[in-house]
Amino acid sequence: MTKVITYGTYDMLHIGHINLLTRAKAQGDYLIVGVTSEDFDRSRGKLNVSQTQEERIAAISALDFVDEVILETHKNQKQEDMVKYGIDKFVIGDDWVGKFDYLNEWTEVVYVPRTKGISSTKLRNEKFKDIRIGLVGINHDSDRFMNESEFVKNVSIVSSYANTNIPRETYSKREKAKKHFTDYDEFLISDIEAVYICVDIDFQYEHVKKALLAKKHVLCENPIALNNDKLNELFLIAKQNDVLLLMALKTAFMPAFNKLIEEINSGIIGDVKEVRSTFSSLYKERGYSEEYLKYGSTNLLMSYPSLLVNKIAGVAKSISYFEQSNGSYDISNRAISTHENNIIGISTVAIEMKSSSSTIISGSKGYIYIPAPWWLTKEFTCKFEDASKEYSFKYEFEGNGFRYMISEFASLIQRGLRQSERLSMKDMLEINRFITQFNEGKK
Ligand code: C2G
């Protein structure tokens, strides 16, 4: 029996894909098709795939001449699969000619003619119009959002809002935002369907509320609201207006971060016992204003460690705080949380203390080390008692990570979804609780 394998994204399955798969099957008796996972596609720069990996797998599985369908999740998987499945031939379209010659070491590589005049990109452009986004707030974050949105093909930044007119020379940098508003109501009735909000923490809740009531999808920097009742209220308004409300917690959408969660859930280090992560950043040295610092380390940074702890350990049964204050705000804080299955979370944040911003996740069989800056997750290493079993996992990582978040936001809107599996409403409420419980304890 001749075993053949091929791989692809297969977004909006079309005749080009069918021809390729038929030609692949003709090369042997048993055809395995590897469908690329969403995170793997995003890590290799495919940021606007319109269908979910489940939908793409279902379409390929429906083809009766396909014998087996697998998920392709990482870079070196192809050579691993050649051995695992005992492959005789690897078949791919000639748009990849030469790129997979290295696989000849394991099997026979066959490039077949690509079908002209049809592609998933063409079908996507015909079916979907760009998501029209407006920026609320003009600052370092909106800059990053602007620049990274260039890499996400199905979004366009059409306008911006700030409560003041921006000096001409600053504005010129923002050529891409065609129109700038200083009146928020006028901005919200302009031709946008979604907004990215990055204003001062005290004003986020008001801006989010108005945008949701204006039926705009909202991506907002965290914390969205400084108490959970307000956050619950915003989720209710989002539901009532059938729009998406998403925290701009970029780490949650990074391919390597999601792979990390997948590996931990697969039991790679046994039962998780402790999640220890630190996020320290000397904002003063980075030129941030005293105005900004007064929010304190917990409001400014705790969302990140609590994302990790909540994703791995689940809902916190209790949270105790150990802060260092300069009399007006917390320059550092440690949230020690207890979770189901006896898991302990140790989340440290600091804005006037520099510390090693790495992460250690300890389990009954081994531990995972994520080097600093772990919140821009690129790689992680699994370590065991038997050092020879150690292995690292690395994903491509482009830019400052905003593109993966923008890709998720745009994909959810395009697919008509109102929740992200990577950052659900429950996740967002729990993450925010780590902040709001501290604030309420301060009153
Ligand atoms: N294809 C084709 N004709 C087209 C479009 C695609 O023959 N008009 C082939 C491609 O050459 C590829 C397969 O169909 O072999 C799947 O194409 P895509 O879904 O675009 O996936 P791609 O990014 O090419 O994935 O790592 C290799 C990749 O996994 C291949």
Side-chain angles (χ1 to χ4, degrees), residues 145-310:
F145 191 98
M146 265 293 190
N147 299 331
E148 288 275 295
S149 64
E150 297 285 326
F151 301 93
V152 186
K153 303 246 175 15
N154 54 346
V155 301
S156 48
I157 313 292
V158 292
S159 62
S160 54
Y161 159 81
N163 56 9
T164 55
N165 251 324
I166 333 177
R168 180 90 230 119
E169 65 284 356
T170 322
Y171 193 75
S172 63
K173 256 196 330 200
R174 303 173 203 294
E175 298 303 336
K176 297 181 225 56
K178 300 200 182 42
K179 216 168 167 336
H180 180 68
F181 293 80
T182 54
D183 178 295
Y184 197 45
D185 298 325
E186 235 185 81
F187 166 79
L188 286 176
I189 53 172
S190 72
D191 179 19
I192 52 176
E193 63 194 294
V195 292
Y196 166 63
I197 300 180
C198 53
V199 295
D200 272 13
I201 292 178
D202 285 338
F203 306 113
Q204 306 241 112
Y205 164 77
E206 281 311 322
H207 284 84
V208 171
K209 187 171 179 178
K210 270 195 161 184
L212 295 173
L213 290 168
K215 296 193 181 311
K216 307 298 176 189
H217 303 287
V218 174
L219 177 68
C220 181
E221 285 298 334
N222 209 44
I224 295 179
L226 290 176
N227 74 54
N228 260 20
D229 300 346
K230 283 190 173 170
L231 188 55
N232 272 313
E233 179 208 357
L234 292 175
F235 280 124
L236 187 60
I237 296 172
K239 196 165 174 21
Q240 288 160 345
N241 290 278
D242 188 27
V243 284
L244 172 66
L245 172 57
L246 194 61
M247 265 180 202
L249 213 42
K250 56 183 183 290
T251 308
F253 311 107
M254 289 178 189
F257 181 82
N258 285 285
K259 185 67 185 166
L260 169 79
I261 303 299
E262 200 185 292
E263 290 292 307
I264 289 171
N265 293 343
S266 74
I268 191 77
I269 55 171
D271 302 329
V272 173
K273 298 295 179 196
E274 182 195 276
V275 181
R276 180 189 293 263
S277 76
T278 301
F279 193 148
S280 78
S281 181
L282 299 182
Y283 280 117
K284 231 182 237 156
E285 251 181 54
R286 295 173 56 198
Y288 282 76
S289 67
E290 193 53 42
E291 269 314 286
Y292 189 79
L293 265 70
K294 79 174 178 10
Y295 287 113
S297 62
T298 309
N299 286 323
L300 293 173
L301 296 175
M302 187 59 85
S303 325
Y304 287 89
S306 68
L307 163 74
L308 188 74
V309 168
N310 278 291

Side-chain angles (χ1 to χ4, degrees), residues 7-10 17 44 46 78 93 95-96 114-115 118:
Y7 298 82
T9 304
Y10 301 110
H17 296 141
R44 58 190 193 133
K46 279 197 174 188
K78 289 189 175 72
D95 49 326
W96 291 94
R114 187 188 154 77
T115 305
I118 181 74

Side-chain angles (χ1 to χ4, degrees), residues 33 43 52 73 82 86 116 146 156 190 213 222 225 252 274 333 404 409 437 441:
V33 180
S43 77
T52 63
T73 63
M82 300 308 147
K116 301 222 170 345
M146 265 293 190
S156 48
S190 72
L213 290 168
N222 209 44
E274 182 195 276
N333 198 359
Y404 308 109
F409 185 51
Q437 193 170 310

Side-chain angles (χ1 to χ4, degrees), residues 98-159:
K99 297 266 181 3
F100 294 108
D101 291 357
Y102 72 93
L103 290 174
N104 279 309
E105 192 181 327
W106 291 275
T107 187
E108 181 192 344
V109 175
V110 182
Y111 297 104
V112 296
R114 187 188 154 77
T115 305
K116 301 222 170 345
I118 181 74
S119 74
S120 306
T121 307
K122 186 165 175 290
L123 293 177
R124 278 192 295 264
N125 294 344
E126 283 159 10
K127 182 170 178 194
F128 299 107
K129 56 180 184 38
D130 274 7
I131 309 287
R132 301 170 66 77
I133 296 182
L135 299 183
V136 180
I138 298 290
N139 50 42
H140 180 51
D141 283 332
S142 63
D143 273 1
R144 295 196 288 181
F145 191 98
M146 265 293 190
N147 299 331
E148 288 275 295
S149 64
E150 297 285 326
F151 301 93
V152 186
K153 303 246 175 15
N154 54 346
V155 301
S156 48
I157 313 292
V158 292
S159 62

